[in-house]
């Protein structure tokens, strides 16, 4: 009797190890099934975009993008060099609007105006000068694109200068007008900040291709220097 009980209820180390060995595969299987079920539930409830990826609205998944500028409006508030030969002492303020034609090509429209008054006290004569210009520029972005980079361009603009001389003594006036067409190449650099603030600098050579009216004693060649500030949209 004692021998039977000992044989039946033997819970020694060898018996326990055998039971644990039989239980481990079952525990691993149950654990794996639970993990798979949790992953499947999470995948079904996660919001998806039409492309199957998480919505971009999630700040942690959003990818910053550079704005695609299509128009730049800049102002040339002061002259560094005389842009128009034979313009006397008139310095123009120019407004330029550049339109994106492609990522690498921009087309700019230019309009400017300026005036100057000078008095010759020795002769008693006051000179009134009024100047206008309007032009067109095509530029190619050699490095970068419309949002900023190194540019090569060609500018063509029409200009008109009217000068009126008034005698202080009797108030009599005489006038002269000179108008013409100037053209030349330009090289420059444009930079647009993420908020839209734009700086556009250019250096070039201009030559009068056509002139009509009174001829002033000034050279027909000029250095074109632009330093423009504005905004891109």
């Amino acid at each position: 009797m004692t021998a039977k009980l000992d044989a039946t209820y033997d819970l020694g180390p060898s018996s326990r190890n055998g039971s644990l060995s039989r239980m481990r595969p079952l525990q691993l299987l149950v654990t794996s099934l639970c993990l798979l079920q949790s992953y499947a539930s999470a995948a079904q409830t996660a919001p998806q975009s039409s492309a199957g990826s998480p919505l971009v609205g999630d700040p942690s998944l959003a990818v910053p993008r550079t704005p695609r500028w299509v128009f730049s409006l800049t102002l040339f508030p002061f002259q560094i060099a005389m842009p128009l030969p034979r313009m006397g002492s008139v310095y123009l303020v120019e407004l330029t609007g550049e339109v994106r034609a492609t990522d690498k090509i921009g087309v700019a429209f230019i309009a400017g105006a300026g005036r100057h008054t000078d008095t010759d006290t020795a002769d008693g004569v006051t000179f009134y000068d009024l100047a206008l210009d309007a032009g067109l520029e095509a530029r190619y972005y050699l490095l970068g694109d419309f949002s900023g980079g190194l540019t090569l361009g060609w500018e063509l603009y029409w200009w008109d200068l009217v000068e009126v001389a008034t005698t202080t003594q009797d108030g009599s006036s005489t006038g002269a007008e000179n108008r013409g067409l100037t053209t030349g190449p330009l090289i420059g650099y444009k930079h647009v900040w993420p908020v839209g603030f734009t700086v556009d600098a250019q250096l070039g050579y201009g030559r009068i291709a056509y002139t009509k009216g009174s001829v002033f004693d000034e050279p027909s060649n000029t250095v074109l220097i632009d330093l423009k500030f504005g905004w891109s949209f």
Side-chain angles (χ1 to χ4, degrees):
M1 185 69 176
T2 303
K4 283 185 178 182
L5 287 175
D6 291 341
T8 303
Y9 297 99
D10 183 10
L11 298 178
S14 59
S15 177
R16 286 196 300 272
N17 289 337
S19 300
L20 290 175
S21 299
R22 289 190 298 269
M23 291 178 63
R24 281 197 187 101
L26 181 60
Q27 290 176 345
L28 291 175
L29 179 61
V30 172
T31 303
S32 301
L33 290 175
C34 291
L35 290 174
L36 289 174
Q37 180 64 28
S38 301
Y39 178 82
S41 300
Q44 291 176 358
T45 56
Q48 301 288 322
S49 65
S50 58
S53 58
L55 294 177
V56 179
D58 187 348
S60 62
L61 301 175
V63 178
R65 296 181 58 190
T66 302
R68 181 180 174 84
W69 310 111
V70 297
F71 181 72
S72 295
L73 185 65
T74 54
L75 180 69
F76 191 7
F78 55 88
Q79 301 289 355
I80 300 176
M82 191 81 72
L84 304 177
R86 308 180 184 178
M87 295 299 281
S89 301
V90 182
Y91 293 93
L92 285 79
V93 176
E94 287 183 341
L95 187 66
T96 301
E98 183 190 2
V99 180
R100 175 200 290 265
T102 68
D103 287 345
K104 287 286 190 178
I105 297 176
V107 178
F109 302 90
I110 305 165
R115 66 179 183 177
H116 176 74
T117 302
D118 187 26
T119 301
D120 186 345
T121 55
D123 296 333
V125 179
T126 302
F127 298 94
Y128 300 94
D129 296 330
L130 174 65
L132 303 171
D133 78 338
L136 183 68
E137 179 192 340
R139 61 171 65 179
Y140 175 76
Y141 287 86
L142 187 63
L143 298 176
D145 56 19
F146 190 86
S147 300
L150 181 67
T151 64
L152 294 176
W154 195 277
E155 190 172 85
L156 177 70
Y157 58 87
W158 167 89
W159 51 267
D160 192 352
L161 170 65
V162 177
E163 185 176 70
V164 177
T166 303
T167 304
T168 307
Q169 186 175 0
D170 57 8
S172 61
S173 298
T174 58
E177 183 180 10
N178 186 217
R179 53 189 177 273
L181 195 66
T182 299
T183 183
L186 293 164
I187 184 172
Y189 188 83
K190 173 183 172 184
H191 185 78
V192 182
W193 275 263
V195 295
F197 181 69
T198 304
V199 174
D200 192 0
Q202 291 179 302
L203 174 66
Y205 165 80
R207 180 175 179 82
I208 291 181
Y210 164 80
T211 184
K212 184 177 180 180
S214 302
V215 178
F216 298 93
D217 186 19
E218 293 189 28
S220 298
N221 304 318
T222 185
V223 176
L224 303 176
I225 300 180
D226 294 343
L227 182 58
K228 306 172 185 178
F229 304 91
W231 215 263
S232 293
F233 306 90

